[in-house]
Amino acid sequence: MELIISGPDPDLTSQVLNALSTNDGPILTSVVFPTTPFTIIKSALDRLGSREMVTYQTIDREEAILTDEARGIAADGSHEAKVFEAVREAVGGLKITALPGVVGKESAKVGQGKAFKEGWIKKDKDTLKPNIETIVDTTREQLLKIQSTKSHPDGKVLTDLRKRKLVTMQKVISFRVSKGPKFAKEFVKEETDLTADMLASGAWKTVQLKPYNFKSKGAMTPSGALHPLNKVRHEFRQIFFEMGFEEMPTNRFVETGFWNFDALFVPQQHPARDLQDTFYISDPAFADRPRSDPKPSSENPSGTSSRKPDTRSYTEEDYTSYWNNVREVHEKGKYGSIGYRYPWKEEESLRLVLRTHTTAISTYILHKLALDPKPARYFSIDRVFRNETVDATHLAEFHQVEGVIADFNLTLGGLIGFMEVFFAKMGIHNLRFKPAYNPYTEPSMEIFGHHAGLNKWVEIGNSGMFRPEMLEPMGLPKDMRVYGWGLSLERPTMIKYGVKNIRELLGHKVDLNFVEGNPAVRLEKD
C-alpha cells in the first residue's frame, strides 16, 4: 500500500507516524512527502528519532530536471519534429524563407539542421521537402521519460541533453524511514519545564518530561577576536623579547625629513623623497629643528604624554651639533667620507612626512644611545606609509618589523649568523643572502628563504650594517657597529593564513568571519 501526502506541514510528526503504521516496511520521504521541503522533513525526523520512535537513513541522489525549453518540447514536440510536420503538410514543399513564420524563429533555427541530420527532410533549391513518410520524435520521448522518472537508463542520452541545455542535474536528499524500538501511532508531547502548577496539582507524576540531551552543542558565545596581523605581531614580539630586545616607542606616524631621511644619510635628491613615493603633510608643512622631548607638564600629573619624557641630559647645543654634523656629512663629507657634495637645504630637511619606515625611530633611539654608548638591542613593529599603487600585494600603508643591535667590533659574519638564528625561530631554516644597496647600510644584504609550499626562494627581509656617516654624527664611538634588518608583517601573515590578496588582510574588505575563525599562530611550527 502506498500513501502519498501532498503539501508542506510545519509539524509532520503525526503524518510520519501515520504513514509508517499503514505500511509494513520502511517508507521513502520522496514518495510519501514529495512536495514537503527538506528542512521540515529533517526537523520532524530528528524530533521522532530523539525519542527512538523512528530510525532513518539519508539517501543522496541526482535527479534530471527539465529546463523550460525541454518542458515545451515534452508538451508540443521537438524543434526538428515541428519542422518535419510543417514541411510534410505543405503542398509541394515549404519555402525556406517561410519556415520561421510557420514554426517560429527558434524552432526554425534549431530544428532545420537537426531534421537534415536525421534525414527527415531534403532541400530542393530554395524549398524544403519531406524525405520520409513518418518519424519517431526521439527527443520528446526521452524528455517524457525523464519527466516521469527523473532519470534515464542511458547515460549518453543524459549527457547529450545536458549539452543541448534541455536537462540539468540536481542533487536531491531524501530519507528511508523505519519504525523505531519505541514506535507508537501517537506522538506524546513532552514537557520541557517542571512548573509550580505541576507540583501543586500532582500532574508531574503523569506527564512525560523531555530528557536532557547532553550531546547537543551549545550556542556560540559572541566574543572579541584578535586580527591575524595582531596574532603574528604578538609572536614576533615574543621572539624579540626571548632574544633580549627592548621595544622602541613607535607612536610618531609623522616625522620630519631630518629623522626620516637626512639622519640616515639619504640624499635630498633620492627618488624615495619624491612625491610619487612619499606622503608629505600639507598643514603644517614644516617642523622645527630637532630638540629635546617636552617634559611632562604640571597639568598632566600622571606624567603621560604622546612621547616618552626625555630623561637624558642632551642640551640644545648637542642637537645643534648633531644637526650641523648631518649637514656637513651630506655637503662636504666628514668622518673619513667624502659625502654627497651637494647643497644641502634646511627647508627640505624640515618637511613633515608620514614616516616611510620605522628606521626613523631607530635613528632617534641610537642618537639617545650616544649619550651612554653600550651594547643594546632594540626592535619595533608598527605601521609605515608609502605612496604606492594598491594591488594584490601592495598597500599604501603596511607594518614593518625592524630589529637593531648595537655593539663593539661587530662583523658581517656575525650579522649572517644572527639572521640564521632569528629566522629559525620563525620556522625558516634555509636562507640565502644577496648583496644589495641601501643609502644608510654598507654592506647591505637581501635575505631569501626557501618556501616549501611554493617550492621557490622568496625574499623575506633586508639587512645591513649602518654606515659611519649615519652613526658618527650622533656621537657614537668609531668602533661601535650597528646591525639593522627589517621585513613586513603582512608577508609572513599572508603565508601562514593562506591569504593571496593583501586587501583581504588589511582594510575595509576584511571578512570578519576570517578574523574570528582563524587560530593563533606559532611561527616556528608548520
Side-chain angles (χ1 to χ4, degrees):
M1 179 179 179
E2 190 176 85
L3 177 67
I4 298 179
I5 300 173
S6 61
D9 190 326
D11 184 5
L12 287 185
T13 52
S14 59
Q15 296 184 40
V16 171
L17 295 174
N18 184 42
L20 284 171
S21 65
T22 55
N23 282 270
D24 295 331
I27 62 171
L28 295 174
T29 58
S30 58
V31 176
V32 181
F33 309 108
T35 60
T36 305
F38 164 81
T39 53
I40 294 179
I41 295 175
K42 184 68 166 61
S43 176
L45 294 180
D46 285 342
R47 192 176 183 190
L48 293 170
S50 65
R51 293 158 178 77
E52 299 184 10
M53 299 179 72
V54 301
T55 60
Y56 63 90
Q57 294 176 321
T58 304
I59 302 172
D60 293 341
R61 70 180 190 281
E62 278 195 333
E63 288 186 351
I65 307 297
L66 301 188
T67 63
D68 292 340
E69 180 184 358
R71 285 193 287 270
I73 292 173
D76 305 322
S78 65
H79 299 302
E80 55 268 27
K82 291 179 181 178
V83 170
F84 174 78
E85 291 298 330
V87 172
R88 186 175 65 84
E89 292 176 2
V91 179
L94 183 65
K95 294 285 186 181
I96 295 176
T97 55
L99 182 62
V102 178
V103 299
K105 290 183 179 180
E106 185 65 23
S107 293
K109 178 182 177 181
V110 177
Q112 187 178 166
K114 188 73 174 175
F116 276 123
K117 183 178 179 180
E118 297 289 342
W120 295 351
I121 61 175
K122 61 183 178 181
K123 184 178 180 182
D124 184 7
K125 296 181 180 179
D126 61 345
T127 303
L128 299 174
K129 295 184 177 181
N131 204 29
I132 56 177
E133 292 294 327
T134 60
I135 63 168
V136 176
D137 193 349
T138 307
T139 302
R140 184 185 186 190
E141 291 182 352
Q142 292 170 343
L143 292 176
L144 286 171
K145 184 173 184 62
I146 292 172
Q147 192 174 42
S148 61
T149 64
K150 307 297 183 183
S151 184
H152 197 280
D154 191 344
K156 292 182 178 179
V157 171
L158 279 176
T159 301
D160 179 62
L161 293 175
R162 289 176 67 184
K163 288 181 179 178
R164 295 172 62 184
K165 297 183 179 180
L166 296 176
V167 167
T168 59
M169 302 306 294
Q170 177 178 294
K171 185 177 180 180
V172 176
I173 300 176
S174 60
F175 303 95
R176 180 184 286 109
V177 188
S178 304
K179 296 177 182 178
K182 296 183 180 179
F183 176 79
K185 291 184 179 181
E186 294 185 0
F187 181 82
V188 179
K189 182 181 178 183
E190 294 178 328
E191 299 293 341
T192 58
D193 295 309
L194 184 63
T195 64
D197 292 339
M198 290 181 186
L199 295 173
S201 64
W204 63 273
K205 298 177 182 179
T206 56
V207 299
Q208 186 168 345
L209 295 171
K210 183 178 180 180
Y212 283 105
N213 182 5
F214 293 103
K215 296 181 180 179
S216 64
K217 295 182 179 180
M220 291 294 293
T221 302
S223 62
L226 288 176
H227 191 282
L229 279 173
N230 281 338
K231 295 175 183 177
V232 176
R233 180 180 182 274
H234 172 77
E235 188 70 6
F236 269 113
R237 292 181 78 242
Q238 295 307 114
I239 291 173
F240 278 116
F241 288 138
E242 177 185 316
M243 300 182 76
F245 282 76
E246 177 185 348
E247 189 167 16
M248 295 182 282
T250 56
N251 52 355
R252 296 190 299 189
F253 283 4
V254 177
E255 290 283 2
T256 62
F258 178 83
W259 290 112
N260 199 77
F261 296 118
D262 292 303
L264 275 72
F265 199 53
V266 177
Q268 294 184 344
Q269 299 85 3
H270 195 278
R273 302 177 75 151
D274 292 342
L275 285 172
Q276 61 264 29
D277 292 312
T278 301
F279 291 109
Y280 285 92
I281 307 300
S282 60
D283 186 19
F286 300 95
D288 297 332
R289 287 187 180 189
R291 61 186 181 190
S292 298
D293 291 331
K295 303 292 183 183
S297 65
S298 57
E299 298 177 359
N300 188 6
S302 64
T304 59
S305 66
S306 62
R307 187 182 298 174
K308 290 184 178 180
D310 190 352
T311 58
R312 307 208 177 175
S313 58
Y314 265 132
T315 64
E316 195 65 34
E317 290 74 19
D318 293 324
Y319 281 100
T320 302
S321 175
Y322 183 35
W323 172 272
N324 291 332
N325 288 339
V326 170
R327 176 199 293 269
E328 288 182 36
V329 82
H330 278 255
E331 278 191 335
K332 304 173 184 178
K334 201 174 182 180
Y335 311 107
S337 170
I338 63 173
Y340 292 117
R341 292 177 290 180
Y342 70 93
W344 188 82
K345 297 180 180 179
E346 178 176 335
E347 180 179 318
E348 181 67 23
S349 187
L350 296 180
R351 293 181 71 183
L352 287 173
V353 301
L354 286 178
R355 67 180 178 208
T356 60
H357 47 196
T358 53
T359 314
I361 302 296
S362 301
T363 308
Y364 173 79
I365 296 298
L366 288 172
H367 179 238
K368 282 186 171 293
L369 182 65
L371 280 173
D372 182 19
K374 58 185 178 182
R377 296 186 174 195
Y378 301 111
F379 81 93
S380 64
I381 307 174
D382 211 334
R383 191 167 297 193
V384 296
F385 308 87
R386 305 275 177 87
N387 192 1
E388 293 187 355
T389 302
V390 176
D391 57 27
T393 57
H394 295 86
L395 289 176
E397 53 180 315
F398 58 94
H399 294 79
Q400 181 175 333
V401 181
E402 179 160 337
V404 172
I405 296 178
D407 207 338
F408 297 95
N409 301 315
L410 297 177
T411 64
L412 181 63
L415 174 59
I416 292 174
F418 183 84
M419 290 296 97
E420 291 174 343
V421 174
F422 176 77
F423 283 102
K425 291 183 176 291
M426 296 168 51
I428 303 173
H429 300 279
N430 199 0
L431 298 182
R432 284 180 178 175
F433 299 90
K434 176 185 175 182
Y437 168 76
N438 288 315
Y440 44 88
T441 58
E442 181 62 37
S444 306
M445 300 181 299
E446 291 176 347
I447 308 169
F448 292 82
H450 189 265
H451 192 290
L454 300 176
N455 194 28
K456 68 176 185 179
W457 292 91
V458 178
E459 183 182 353
I460 56 176
N462 208 325
S463 65
M465 301 182 69
F466 286 133
R467 297 177 66 109
E469 294 95 330
M470 171 185 165
L471 300 179
E472 292 191 35
M474 300 175 180
L476 289 170
K478 288 183 178 294
D479 57 348
M480 175 165 272
R481 305 285 184 265
V482 180
Y483 296 152
W485 73 94
L487 63 151
S488 76
L489 183 65
E490 282 74 8
R491 176 163 291 181
T493 306
M494 291 173 70
I495 292 174
K496 281 293 179 181
Y497 288 100
V499 178
K500 295 182 179 180
N501 191 327
I502 194 172
R503 288 169 289 192
E504 297 174 3
L505 183 67
L506 187 64
H508 66 283
K509 293 186 177 181
V510 174
D511 183 0
L512 291 180
N513 292 324
F514 166 75
V515 174
E516 295 171 357
N518 274 296
V521 64
R522 293 294 179 266
L523 292 176
E524 75 277 6
K525 297 179 181 179
D526 295 331

Coordinates of all heavy atoms in Angstrom, one line a residue, residues 252-262 272-275 277-287 347-357 360-361 383-387:
R252 N 55.0 57.9 16.7 CA 55.2 59.1 15.8 C 55.0 58.7 14.4 O 55.9 58.3 13.7 CB 56.5 59.8 16.0 CG 56.7 60.3 17.4 CD 58.0 61.2 17.5 NE 59.2 60.4 17.2 CZ 60.4 60.9 17.3 NH1 60.6 62.1 17.8 NH2 61.4 60.2 17.0
F253 N 53.7 58.8 13.9 CA 53.5 58.5 12.5 C 54.0 59.6 11.6 O 54.4 59.3 10.4 CB 52.0 58.3 12.2 CG 51.4 57.0 12.7 CD1 52.2 56.1 13.4 CD2 50.1 56.6 12.5 CE1 51.7 54.8 13.8 CE2 49.6 55.4 12.9 CZ 50.4 54.5 13.6
V254 N 54.1 60.8 12.1 CA 54.6 61.9 11.3 C 56.0 62.2 11.8 O 56.2 62.4 13.0 CB 53.7 63.2 11.5 CG1 54.2 64.4 10.7 CG2 52.2 62.9 11.0
E255 N 56.9 62.3 10.8 CA 58.3 62.6 11.1 C 58.8 63.8 10.2 O 58.1 64.1 9.2 CB 59.2 61.4 10.8 CG 59.0 60.2 11.8 CD 59.7 60.5 13.1 OE1 60.3 61.6 13.3 OE2 59.7 59.6 14.0
T256 N 59.9 64.4 10.6 CA 60.5 65.3 9.7 C 61.4 64.6 8.7 O 61.8 63.5 8.9 CB 61.3 66.3 10.5 OG1 62.4 65.6 11.1 CG2 60.5 67.1 11.5
G257 N 61.7 65.3 7.6 CA 62.6 64.7 6.7 C 64.0 64.5 7.3 O 64.7 63.6 6.8
F258 N 64.3 65.2 8.3 CA 65.6 65.0 9.0 C 65.7 63.6 9.6 O 66.7 62.9 9.3 CB 65.8 66.1 10.1 CG 67.1 65.9 10.9 CD1 68.2 66.4 10.4 CD2 67.1 65.2 12.1 CE1 69.4 66.3 11.1 CE2 68.3 65.1 12.8 CZ 69.5 65.6 12.3
W259 N 64.7 63.2 10.4 CA 64.8 61.9 11.1 C 64.5 60.8 10.1 O 65.0 59.7 10.2 CB 63.8 61.8 12.2 CG 64.2 62.7 13.4 CD1 63.6 63.8 13.9 CD2 65.3 62.5 14.3 NE1 64.2 64.3 15.0 CE2 65.3 63.5 15.3 CE3 66.3 61.5 14.4 CZ2 66.2 63.6 16.3 CZ3 67.3 61.6 15.4 CH2 67.2 62.6 16.3
N260 N 63.6 61.1 9.1 CA 63.2 60.0 8.2 C 64.2 59.8 7.1 O 64.3 58.6 6.6 CB 61.8 60.4 7.6 CG 61.1 59.2 7.0 OD1 60.5 58.4 7.7 ND2 61.1 59.0 5.7
F261 N 64.9 60.8 6.7 CA 65.9 60.7 5.6 C 67.3 61.2 5.9 O 68.3 60.4 5.8 CB 65.4 61.5 4.3 CG 64.1 61.0 3.8 CD1 62.9 61.8 3.8 CD2 63.9 59.7 3.3 CE1 61.7 61.3 3.3 CE2 62.7 59.2 2.8 CZ 61.6 60.0 2.8
D262 N 67.4 62.4 6.3 CA 68.8 63.0 6.3 C 69.7 62.4 7.4 O 70.8 62.1 7.1 CB 68.6 64.5 6.7 CG 68.0 65.3 5.5 OD1 68.6 65.3 4.4 OD2 67.0 66.0 5.8
A272 N 63.3 58.2 -3.4 CA 62.4 57.9 -2.3 C 61.7 59.1 -1.7 O 60.7 59.0 -1.1 CB 63.1 57.1 -1.2
R273 N 62.3 60.3 -1.9 CA 61.8 61.5 -1.3 C 60.9 62.3 -2.3 O 60.4 63.3 -2.0 CB 63.0 62.4 -0.9 CG 63.9 61.8 0.1 CD 65.0 62.6 0.5 NE 64.7 63.7 1.4 CZ 65.5 64.2 2.3 NH1 66.7 63.7 2.5 NH2 65.1 65.2 3.1
D274 N 60.6 61.7 -3.5 CA 59.7 62.3 -4.5 C 58.3 62.1 -4.0 O 57.9 61.3 -3.2 CB 59.9 61.6 -5.8 CG 61.3 61.9 -6.4 OD1 61.9 62.9 -6.0 OD2 61.7 61.2 -7.4
L275 N 57.4 63.0 -4.5 CA 56.0 63.0 -4.2 C 55.3 61.7 -4.5 O 54.4 61.3 -3.9 CB 55.3 64.2 -4.8 CG 55.5 65.6 -4.2 CD1 54.9 66.6 -5.1 CD2 54.9 65.6 -2.8
D277 N 56.4 58.8 -4.2 CA 56.8 57.7 -3.3 C 56.5 58.0 -1.8 O 56.5 57.1 -1.0 CB 58.3 57.4 -3.4 CG 58.7 56.8 -4.8 OD1 58.0 55.9 -5.2 OD2 59.6 57.3 -5.4
T278 N 56.3 59.3 -1.5 CA 56.2 59.7 -0.1 C 55.0 60.6 0.1 O 54.7 61.4 -0.8 CB 57.5 60.4 0.4 OG1 58.6 59.6 0.2 CG2 57.4 60.8 1.8
F279 N 54.3 60.4 1.2 CA 53.2 61.3 1.6 C 53.7 62.5 2.4 O 54.2 62.2 3.5 CB 52.1 60.5 2.4 CG 51.4 59.5 1.6 CD1 51.6 58.2 1.9 CD2 50.5 59.9 0.7 CE1 50.9 57.2 1.2 CE2 49.7 58.9 -0.1 CZ 49.9 57.6 0.2
Y280 N 53.6 63.7 1.9 CA 54.0 64.9 2.6 C 52.8 65.5 3.3 O 51.7 65.5 2.7 CB 54.7 65.8 1.7 CG 56.1 65.4 1.3 CD1 56.4 64.7 0.2 CD2 57.2 65.8 2.2 CE1 57.6 64.3 -0.1 CE2 58.5 65.4 1.8 CZ 58.7 64.6 0.7 OH 60.0 64.2 0.4
I281 N 53.0 66.1 4.5 CA 51.9 66.8 5.2 C 51.8 68.2 4.6 O 52.8 68.9 4.4 CB 52.3 66.8 6.7 CG1 52.6 65.4 7.2 CG2 51.1 67.5 7.5 CD1 51.4 64.4 7.1
S282 N 50.5 68.6 4.5 CA 50.3 70.0 3.9 C 50.1 71.0 5.0 O 50.4 72.2 4.8 CB 49.1 69.9 2.9 OG 47.9 69.5 3.6
D283 N 49.6 70.7 6.1 CA 49.3 71.6 7.2 C 49.4 71.0 8.6 O 48.6 70.2 8.9 CB 47.9 72.2 7.0 CG 47.6 73.3 8.0 OD1 48.5 73.9 8.5 OD2 46.4 73.6 8.2
P284 N 50.5 71.3 9.3 CA 51.6 72.2 8.9 C 52.6 71.5 8.0 O 52.7 70.3 8.1 CB 52.3 72.5 10.2 CG 52.0 71.3 11.1 CD 50.6 70.9 10.7
A285 N 53.2 72.2 7.1 CA 54.1 71.6 6.2 C 55.5 71.4 6.7 O 56.3 70.6 6.2 CB 54.2 72.5 4.9
F286 N 55.9 72.2 7.7 CA 57.3 72.1 8.2 C 57.3 72.0 9.8 O 56.3 72.4 10.4 CB 58.1 73.4 7.8 CG 58.1 73.5 6.3 CD1 57.2 74.4 5.6 CD2 59.1 72.9 5.6 CE1 57.3 74.5 4.3 CE2 59.2 73.0 4.2 CZ 58.3 73.8 3.5
A287 N 58.4 71.5 10.3 CA 58.6 71.4 11.8 C 59.8 72.2 12.2 O 60.5 72.8 11.3 CB 58.7 70.0 12.1
E347 N 65.3 73.6 4.5 CA 63.8 73.6 4.3 C 63.4 72.1 3.9 O 62.4 71.6 4.4 CB 63.5 74.5 3.2 CG 62.0 74.5 2.9 CD 61.6 75.5 1.7 OE1 62.2 76.6 1.8 OE2 60.8 75.2 0.9
E348 N 64.2 71.4 3.1 CA 63.8 70.1 2.7 C 63.9 69.1 3.9 O 63.1 68.2 4.1 CB 64.8 69.6 1.6 CG 64.5 68.2 1.1 CD 63.2 68.0 0.3 OE1 62.7 69.1 -0.2 OE2 62.7 66.9 0.3
S349 N 64.9 69.4 4.8 CA 65.0 68.5 6.0 C 63.9 68.7 7.0 O 63.7 67.8 7.8 CB 66.4 68.9 6.6 OG 66.7 68.0 7.6
L350 N 63.3 69.9 7.0 CA 62.2 70.1 8.0 C 60.8 69.8 7.5 O 59.8 70.0 8.2 CB 62.3 71.6 8.5 CG 63.6 72.0 9.2 CD1 63.6 73.4 9.6 CD2 63.8 71.1 10.4
R351 N 60.7 69.3 6.3 CA 59.4 69.0 5.7 C 58.8 67.8 6.5 O 59.5 66.9 6.9 CB 59.4 68.6 4.3 CG 59.8 69.8 3.3 CD 59.8 69.4 1.9 NE 58.5 69.1 1.4 CZ 58.3 68.6 0.1 NH1 59.3 68.4 -0.7 NH2 57.0 68.4 -0.3
L352 N 57.5 67.9 6.8 CA 56.8 66.8 7.5 C 56.3 65.7 6.6 O 55.7 66.0 5.5 CB 55.7 67.4 8.3 CG 56.0 68.2 9.6 CD1 54.8 68.9 10.2 CD2 56.7 67.3 10.6
V353 N 56.6 64.5 6.9 CA 56.1 63.3 6.1 C 55.5 62.3 7.0 O 55.7 62.2 8.2 CB 57.3 62.7 5.4 CG1 58.1 63.7 4.5 CG2 58.3 62.1 6.3
L354 N 54.6 61.5 6.4 CA 54.2 60.2 7.0 C 55.4 59.3 6.9 O 55.9 59.0 5.8 CB 53.0 59.6 6.3 CG 51.6 60.3 6.6 CD1 50.5 59.7 5.8 CD2 51.3 60.3 8.0
R355 N 55.8 58.8 8.0 CA 57.1 58.0 8.0 C 57.0 56.9 7.0 O 56.0 56.1 6.9 CB 57.4 57.5 9.4 CG 56.5 56.4 9.9 CD 56.9 55.9 11.3 NE 55.9 55.0 11.8 CZ 55.6 54.8 13.0 NH1 56.2 55.5 14.0 NH2 54.8 53.8 13.4
T356 N 58.1 56.7 6.2 CA 58.2 55.7 5.2 C 58.8 54.4 5.8 O 58.7 53.4 5.1 CB 59.0 56.2 4.0 OG1 60.3 56.5 4.4 CG2 58.3 57.4 3.4
H357 N 59.4 54.4 6.9 CA 59.9 53.3 7.6 C 60.1 53.5 9.1 O 60.2 54.7 9.5 CB 61.3 52.8 6.9 CG 62.2 54.0 6.7 ND1 63.3 53.9 5.9 CD2 62.3 55.2 7.3 CE1 64.0 55.1 5.9 NE2 63.4 55.9 6.7
A360 N 63.4 55.5 11.1 CA 63.4 56.8 11.6 C 63.4 56.7 13.2 O 64.1 57.5 13.8 CB 62.2 57.6 11.1
I361 N 62.6 55.8 13.7 CA 62.6 55.6 15.2 C 64.0 55.0 15.7 O 64.5 55.4 16.7 CB 61.5 54.7 15.6 CG1 60.1 55.3 15.1 CG2 61.4 54.5 17.1 CD1 59.8 56.6 15.7
R383 N 53.2 50.6 11.9 CA 52.7 51.0 10.6 C 53.6 52.0 9.9 O 54.1 53.0 10.6 CB 51.3 51.5 10.7 CG 50.6 51.6 9.4 CD 49.1 51.8 9.6 NE 48.5 50.7 10.2 CZ 47.2 50.5 10.3 NH1 46.3 51.4 9.8 NH2 46.7 49.4 10.9
V384 N 53.8 51.9 8.6 CA 54.6 52.8 7.8 C 53.7 53.1 6.6 O 52.8 52.4 6.2 CB 56.0 52.3 7.4 CG1 56.8 52.1 8.7 CG2 55.9 51.0 6.6
F385 N 54.1 54.2 5.8 CA 53.3 54.7 4.7 C 54.1 54.9 3.5 O 55.2 55.5 3.5 CB 52.6 56.0 5.1 CG 51.8 55.8 6.4 CD1 52.5 56.1 7.7 CD2 50.5 55.5 6.5 CE1 51.8 56.0 8.9 CE2 49.8 55.3 7.7 CZ 50.5 55.6 8.9
R386 N 53.6 54.4 2.3 CA 54.3 54.6 1.1 C 53.3 55.0 0.0 O 52.2 54.4 0.0 CB 55.0 53.4 0.6 CG 56.0 52.8 1.6 CD 57.4 53.4 1.5 NE 58.3 52.9 2.6 CZ 59.0 51.8 2.4 NH1 59.0 51.1 1.3 NH2 59.8 51.4 3.4
N387 N 53.6 55.9 -0.8 CA 52.7 56.4 -1.9 C 52.8 55.4 -3.0 O 53.4 55.7 -4.1 CB 53.0 57.8 -2.3 CG 51.9 58.4 -3.2 OD1 50.9 57.8 -3.5 ND2 52.1 59.6 -3.6

